[in-house]
Amino acid sequence: MADDTSETGLVSRVSDWRSTRRSFVAGVGSAAGLGAFTGNGAAQMGSDPVRSGAVSLVYRENGQYRVTDGTGVAFRTTADGNAEEAFQYAFDAVPDGGGTVVAAADTFRFGGPATLGDDTALTGQRGTRFVGSQVGRRDDPLPTDDQENPLPRGHDLIRVRGDNAAVTNVEFDGAGTQLDSHAVQADDCTGVLIANNRTVNGFQMALSFTGCENVVVRGNEVVNPNWYGITSRGAPEGGDRDLKRSTDVVVAENRVSGMKFNNIATYNVSNFAVVGNVVFDGGHSLIACSPAQQGTIVGNVCRNLNKFGGDPGGEAGIEIEYKETHLSEAVAGTPAATSYDITVSGNQIENCEVGFISRTVPADAADTDPREERRPYSFTVTGNAINDCEAAGIRIRSGASGVVATNTIRNTGTAIDVDDAFTEDVQRDLNVARD
């Protein structure tokens, strides 16, 4: 519902901003950490993919969610687990030239997702918190020993469906949901920034992007989703976003812990970098390329892998693989179906079943042909420190044209384990193993 500019009763923080557009955007920019604003109200966003013009604020007051652009209340609705209505209004009101929606330092309770489009940035302030809701229950096909089906279902909180978009500085609370929920889910977008957010208390997949190009996921803290922390696959029940191919991807400086499967799951990505992340307490390989091409996995800290439903060959701190069940129809049978041209360097891996693994996992475990025909190739594993990995430091179950060199391996069952039946031209040199 829209109001005219004569509406009164805004709290002082809003009334101070609405005297002029210039003072409004300056106040919001300072509070939200958006950087300096020019005299015409354009935010200087630095390296972010959005150059913001219009700015609006979503806040809660007197039992209502409200939206203001600094000249008055443009939208209001009774606050009753329906924050998505206010945010959707603000996203839809962003002009063609782009804009920023600022969420006030408050708790917003959502009953469903809000979707932002082209040239839109959503940013929170210190204390901004988005809380989801449970919408039913269903069986998880792979529950852990401490999960009892059916598990609570949720919903996405923020969906990104436009180019040149950003979601930053928000704490997302999954309300205990375990299935069908994302904190942020970007689909078919070019130019996506997901940065400096925190996710807690659920979500099937916390931060997700599918079918995207030019993606940066940076500086987030992700705690205890059910399946994946940061991932290039989606979780819509009966949907078609799962496992679309993404390109030009950076996943950097995130802290991800407590997953049932992979902490960072870069599936079906190319031209990628996974750099400087701290990942721990996962149930499958902590960082997984399944498959991925032409990328780097550099300078990450991986520790404490708690094996859950392991694939043949053991779970690892870092893995590259061909896995038949991870292939979309668009990828199956093409070179993009397997992993190649990947550098794994300078990582610290500790207390995992296996430190690094290269492997092939066909849908039929008895079918060995893919281990020769679809094995990862042209990979480099150098300069990693691998400690206390019970089964093996480095395991090559299938692979070709690879280099394993200058790694330091300590306290492992087997330092370097290469399956000669399914490997070809894997060079090993200058590795150091010590008990």
Side-chain angles (χ1 to χ4, degrees), residues 187-395:
D187 186 57
D188 285 335
C189 306
T190 298
V192 177
L193 174 68
I194 304 172
N196 303 326
N197 302 290
R198 186 170 188 262
T199 77
V200 299
N201 194 24
F203 300 110
Q204 182 173 353
M205 303 181 185
L207 306 178
S208 161
F209 54 92
T210 47
C212 291
E213 180 181 355
N214 185 17
V215 179
V216 176
V217 184
R218 184 185 69 215
N220 303 281
E221 181 180 19
V222 178
V223 180
N224 292 329
N226 182 24
W227 284 26
Y228 303 104
I230 297 171
T231 180
S232 53
R233 63 180 296 182
E237 185 177 14
D240 60 359
R241 286 176 283 149
D242 203 13
L243 293 171
K244 289 183 181 178
R245 184 167 170 78
S246 294
T247 61
D248 300 340
V249 171
V250 176
V251 180
E253 300 175 356
N254 302 282
R255 184 177 186 270
V256 188
S257 65
M259 307 302 116
K260 183 165 75 174
F261 296 123
N262 309 123
N263 290 36
I264 296 176
T266 44
Y267 293 177
N268 289 297
V269 302
S270 65
N271 303 105
F272 70 96
V274 179
V275 180
N277 301 281
V278 176
V279 293
F280 57 99
D281 295 342
H284 274 251
S285 298
L286 298 177
I287 297 175
C289 296
S290 184
Q293 304 84 36
Q294 298 170 313
T296 60
I297 305 172
V298 175
N300 302 281
V301 176
C302 307
R303 69 179 189 269
N304 300 345
L305 177 64
N306 305 303
K307 181 179 176 182
F308 169 71
D311 286 321
E315 299 299 332
I318 298 173
E319 73 173 5
I320 62 174
E321 70 178 357
Y322 165 94
K323 191 169 186 178
E324 198 165 350
T325 58
H326 288 173
L327 304 181
S328 65
E329 292 183 2
V331 169
T334 74
T338 195
S339 295
Y340 62 85
D341 291 353
I342 297 175
T343 297
V344 180
S345 183
N347 301 285
Q348 171 71 42
I349 305 172
E350 180 179 357
N351 194 28
C352 299
E353 183 177 20
V354 177
F356 167 84
I357 193 169
S358 169
R359 65 180 170 192
T360 301
V361 184
D364 180 359
D367 182 8
T368 61
D369 288 345
R371 294 185 66 189
E372 296 181 354
E373 299 168 359
R374 290 296 184 184
R375 55 195 175 191
Y377 65 92
S378 188
F379 54 85
T380 302
V381 184
T382 60
N384 301 285
I386 301 174
N387 305 318
D388 299 317
C389 294
E390 182 178 357
I394 294 173
R395 174 170 283 169

Side-chain angles (χ1 to χ4, degrees), residues 55-267:
V55 180
S56 62
L57 174 73
V58 181
Y59 64 102
R60 186 179 63 167
E61 182 179 79
N62 294 335
Q64 294 181 328
Y65 293 127
R66 299 180 177 184
V67 181
T68 180
D69 62 1
T71 62
V73 177
F75 176 90
R76 69 174 70 234
T77 185
T78 300
D80 186 21
N82 58 335
E84 72 277 5
E85 297 176 10
F87 282 96
Q88 194 61 65
Y89 178 91
F91 296 152
D92 291 344
V94 171
D96 291 342
T100 299
V101 175
V102 179
D106 210 331
T107 296
F108 298 89
R109 298 189 179 276
F110 286 65
T115 302
L116 59 85
D118 292 339
D119 301 309
T120 301
L122 165 66
T123 190
Q125 304 175 52
R126 186 177 299 275
T128 300
R129 187 165 173 261
F130 289 3
V131 182
S133 57
Q134 297 186 15
V135 296
R137 303 177 76 89
R138 71 175 177 90
D139 284 350
D140 187 327
L142 294 170
T144 64
D145 291 341
D146 61 357
Q147 293 177 317
E148 185 175 346
N149 275 329
L151 299 178
R153 297 177 54 236
H155 54 81
D156 299 351
L157 285 176
I158 296 298
R159 290 175 176 167
V160 182
R161 297 294 185 267
D163 298 338
N164 301 317
V167 180
T168 63
N169 302 322
V170 176
E171 179 173 278
F172 295 92
D173 186 327
T177 60
Q178 296 291 289
L179 298 171
D180 308 324
S181 55
H182 307 81
V184 181
Q185 206 289 316
D187 186 57
D188 285 335
C189 306
T190 298
V192 177
L193 174 68
I194 304 172
N196 303 326
N197 302 290
R198 186 170 188 262
T199 77
V200 299
N201 194 24
F203 300 110
Q204 182 173 353
M205 303 181 185
L207 306 178
S208 161
F209 54 92
T210 47
C212 291
E213 180 181 355
N214 185 17
V215 179
V216 176
V217 184
R218 184 185 69 215
N220 303 281
E221 181 180 19
V222 178
V223 180
N224 292 329
N226 182 24
W227 284 26
Y228 303 104
I230 297 171
T231 180
S232 53
R233 63 180 296 182
E237 185 177 14
D240 60 359
R241 286 176 283 149
D242 203 13
L243 293 171
K244 289 183 181 178
R245 184 167 170 78
S246 294
T247 61
D248 300 340
V249 171
V250 176
V251 180
E253 300 175 356
N254 302 282
R255 184 177 186 270
V256 188
S257 65
M259 307 302 116
K260 183 165 75 174
F261 296 123
N262 309 123
N263 290 36
I264 296 176
T266 44
Y267 293 177

